[in-house]
DNA sequence: CAGCGTTGCACAATCGATTGCGCAATTCAA
DNA sequence: TTGAATTGCGCAATCGATTGTGCAACGCTG
């Protein structure tokens, strides 16, 4: 504690002890042995540091060491539960490894993303985890990152040889479609997210592939929507519901989209799955208690976050292995938003008591 | 572009132009006028900076200026939609003002929170927005922040004279209880979040106050739960449902808690609001499509975020006004999770078509 | 007691940007 | 032609921590 003029710094502590900053630095960074600092001196320094609540200035340290022990995380929308959970996992893993995380929200907008990347560059993050918006412009701005290690997550940029961790979007969508086909659906639409982004396009491709294989229609008129917001999902679903030839099932390629579809169906005084079957993406806490409980494709979000961080730290560590791309498996969680058209009109398995009867 | 040895720095650019770093610095920071740099020189520098893609080293700049243009945000759980939305709003506002945000998740744990605060200190954030865990230990670690401006959000620490922005938790809970009483409920339980945190205790107080005023039971046996997670909500609700004298209504003091209650009710093959009425907190996208659509207390999340940031920037700017505390009004959104006990058994207003009838 | 090795720590340069002060060169007036 | 005023920019210290090198003081041996 002593007399604290200004913020406690390594330097001021040294002065108070009549030592040089060099010695204090070496002790505090655990280099006492290597530089043969006497035990007595070391203890004095440690004691003083503890009692004065010294916190070394990370800015100065980073400047000198040329690394900040921080990483950047750029995602399209932190308020989307998928990315929120991803952020939580990345932050938590990073913390365990002594890194802190600078989060930026690109708002699914290439311009904002470019800004965010510039920010990351000027803040000198040691590495970057990025869910890219994915347009050519964004790709260009990516090069501004220089040689900073970068790992893509959820979405990848085929043009760039960057390591990436994604879940198997294509297989996920195909799985959803297969599930529907099995249950007698033949007219299956899809509510997409942001076209041009990898995750979306892969899912659309999976949807189309599964339908084509079954010789079912998969034309562009069955692909609606644009953007991952609830509103986008609702608007797309509204349009779909007004069509003369209404599809019997919809695959919503995002968790918020599925919510939007549900809202639109409710608005129209229709019901899922009676009037329309629905399969969503990403398991979320609310997915099991919405009306009806949502059948969906689950991605291993925690694993995505952890592996991305691990991969990034490897890169930062210098292991410039060839740009690995890992694709994580997904699975279908069956609940009650899909109607079985084969066996007449029987309702779905977990038929809960309808409200109103005590 | 030229010959780039090492990362482009202000210094290297100066060398390439045969100028001093001082001049370049002054031009780049818009101080050309003040220091009477000739137009020709200025243009040369600007051109070169643009073409070389120079990004000034923010670490060095911060070290020299003693400010980082960054703020810290410490919240208990980024994956909770309430805090995710708050984070998004804070980040967005901060970006508009030229600040970036360092986010840390305290996991509702005083020890982790203390770590996070230490991190913020060593990273030299210019200011801090904090939703404190609220225990005495946390309060103590707060003092480690030194004189750094700090604004509390969502929760406040009565012991500390810090500015704070919170919504009117107490009135919110009271509003919920009043709504239930009006509809004939007399046995109203409450599923709380983390006891000891301001938001929770205020809400419990509001719940209790409204009940006491109506001379209805508000004993501790009607307050269940602990923690803001879904699981906590589910466990609390399970216990409640097994009681001999089951309450007719529950107020869940958090959005995830309401979800947990719903899950527990569904598990028990019961229904809301037939068997149990429910009012939650925080409007969320899924709240209108769960089964049943949730009646709840809405907080002005965006406003909370924006005002907290504005208040913090004022503080950073030096306006050391007395620690203002703003309480933002909340409102009740009526949907369909409350049963009206006065008029027999008639179901609720937005009676949607039960599933299974096409 | 001289000489050599060891122990324990300080000096000073460095990371990159900022800024008060001051110096040279130019212009203008007398 | 000289002195003063102005223009245009560089010098060097500074922020705080890190690290290679160097220099005393000490102990030991012969």
């Amino acid at each position: 504690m002593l007399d604290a003029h200004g913020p406690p710094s390594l330097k001021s502590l040294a002065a108070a002890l009549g030592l040089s900053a060099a010695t204090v630095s070496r002790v505090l960074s655990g280099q006492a042995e290597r530089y043969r600092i006497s035990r007595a001196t070391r203890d004095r320094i440690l004691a003083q540091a503890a009692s004065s609540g010294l916190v070394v200035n990370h800015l100065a340290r980073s400047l000198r060491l040329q690394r900040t022990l921080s990483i950047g995380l750029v995602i399209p929308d932190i308020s989307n539960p998928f990315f929120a959970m991803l952020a939580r996992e990345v932050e938590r893993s990073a913390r365990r490894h002594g890194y802190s995380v600078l989060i930026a929200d690109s708002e699914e907008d290439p311009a904002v993303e470019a800004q965010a990347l510039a920010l990351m560059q000027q803040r000198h993050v040691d590495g970057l985890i990025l869910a890219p918006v994915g347009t050519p412009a964004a790709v260009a701005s990516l090069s501004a990152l220089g040689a900073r290690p970068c790992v893509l997550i959820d979405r990848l940029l085929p043009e760039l040889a960057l390591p990436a961790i994604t879940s198997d979007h294509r297989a996920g969508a195909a799985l959803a479609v297969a599930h529907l086909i099995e249950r007698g659906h033949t007219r299956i639409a899809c509510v997409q997210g942001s076209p041009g982004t990898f995750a979306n396009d892969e899912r659309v491709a999976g949807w189309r592939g599964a339908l084509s294989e079954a010789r079912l229609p998969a034309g562009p008129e069955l692909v609606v929507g644009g953007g991952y917001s609830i509103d986008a999902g609702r608007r797309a679903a509204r349009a779909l519901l007004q069509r003369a030839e209404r599809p019997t099932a919809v695959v919503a390629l995002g968790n918020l989209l599925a919510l939007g579809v549900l809202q639109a169906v409710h608005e129209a005084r229709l019901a899922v799955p009676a009037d329309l079957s629905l399969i969503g993406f990403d398991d979320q806490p609310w997915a099991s208690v919405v009306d009806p409980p949502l059948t969906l494709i689950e991605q291993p979000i925690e694993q995505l976050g952890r592996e991305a961080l691990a991969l990034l730290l490897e890169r930062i560590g210098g292991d410039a292995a060839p740009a690995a791309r890992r694709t994580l498996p997904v699975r279908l969680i069956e609940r009650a938003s899909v109607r079985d058209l084969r066996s007449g009109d029987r309702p779905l398995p977990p038929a809960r008591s309808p409200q109103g009867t005590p």
Side-chain angles (χ1 to χ4, degrees), chain A residues 10 12-13 21 29 42 53 61 90 96 98 120 125-126 144 147 163 173 179 228 293 297 308 312 319 344 352:
Chain A
L10 182 155
S12 68
L13 190 151
S29 57
R42 174 182 14 173
R61 184 169 213 275
V90 168
R96 292 216 180 92
M120 296 301 167
V125 296
D126 292 341
H179 185 82
Y228 278 107
I297 303 298
L312 182 61
D319 289 12
R352 298 198 317 272

Side-chain angles (χ1 to χ4, degrees), chain A residues 4 10-11 34 45 77 83 108 123 153 191 197 204 234 287 294 314 344:
Chain A
L10 182 155
K11 202 185 281 189
R34 209 155 88 63
I45 292 177
D77 179 12
F83 289 112
E108 201 78 75
R123 299 273 167 165
I153 193 164
V191 176
T197 66
V204 171
R234 184 165 39 198
L294 218 51
E314 265 179 30

Side-chain angles (χ1 to χ4, degrees), chain A residues 282-336:
Chain A
D282 310 329
D283 194 24
Q284 294 295 330
W286 42 259
S288 63
V289 286
V290 292
D291 173 28
L294 218 51
T295 295
L296 46 73
I297 303 298
E298 182 199 34
Q299 307 185 61
I301 302 187
E302 284 82 3
Q303 201 185 345
L304 278 171
R306 275 198 306 272
E307 297 216 2
L309 188 87
L311 193 51
L312 182 61
L313 291 187
E314 265 179 30
R315 292 273 157 154
I316 291 176
D319 289 12
R325 291 190 180 167
R326 276 210 63 186
T327 303
L328 269 30
V330 300
R331 67 199 186 93
L332 185 141
I333 297 184
E334 182 169 6
R335 289 204 265 251

Side-chain angles (χ1 to χ4, degrees), chain A residues 194-267:
Chain A
S194 302
T197 66
F198 177 79
N200 181 74
D201 293 356
E202 280 289 298
R203 290 175 189 177
V204 171
W207 168 85
R208 179 171 295 123
L211 285 175
S212 304
E213 199 171 305
R215 308 204 164 282
L216 290 174
E221 75 283 359
L222 285 173
V223 181
V224 294
Y228 278 107
S229 69
I230 301 225
D231 278 349
R234 184 165 39 198
R235 277 194 304 270
R238 270 191 206 135
L240 226 43
L241 292 175
Q242 287 173 223
R243 301 248 265 249
E245 201 175 4
R246 191 196 288 163
T248 61
V250 167
V251 182
L253 305 184
N255 62 75
L256 260 25
L257 292 178
L259 227 36
V261 172
L262 271 184
Q263 290 184 354
V265 171
H266 285 181
E267 270 176 16

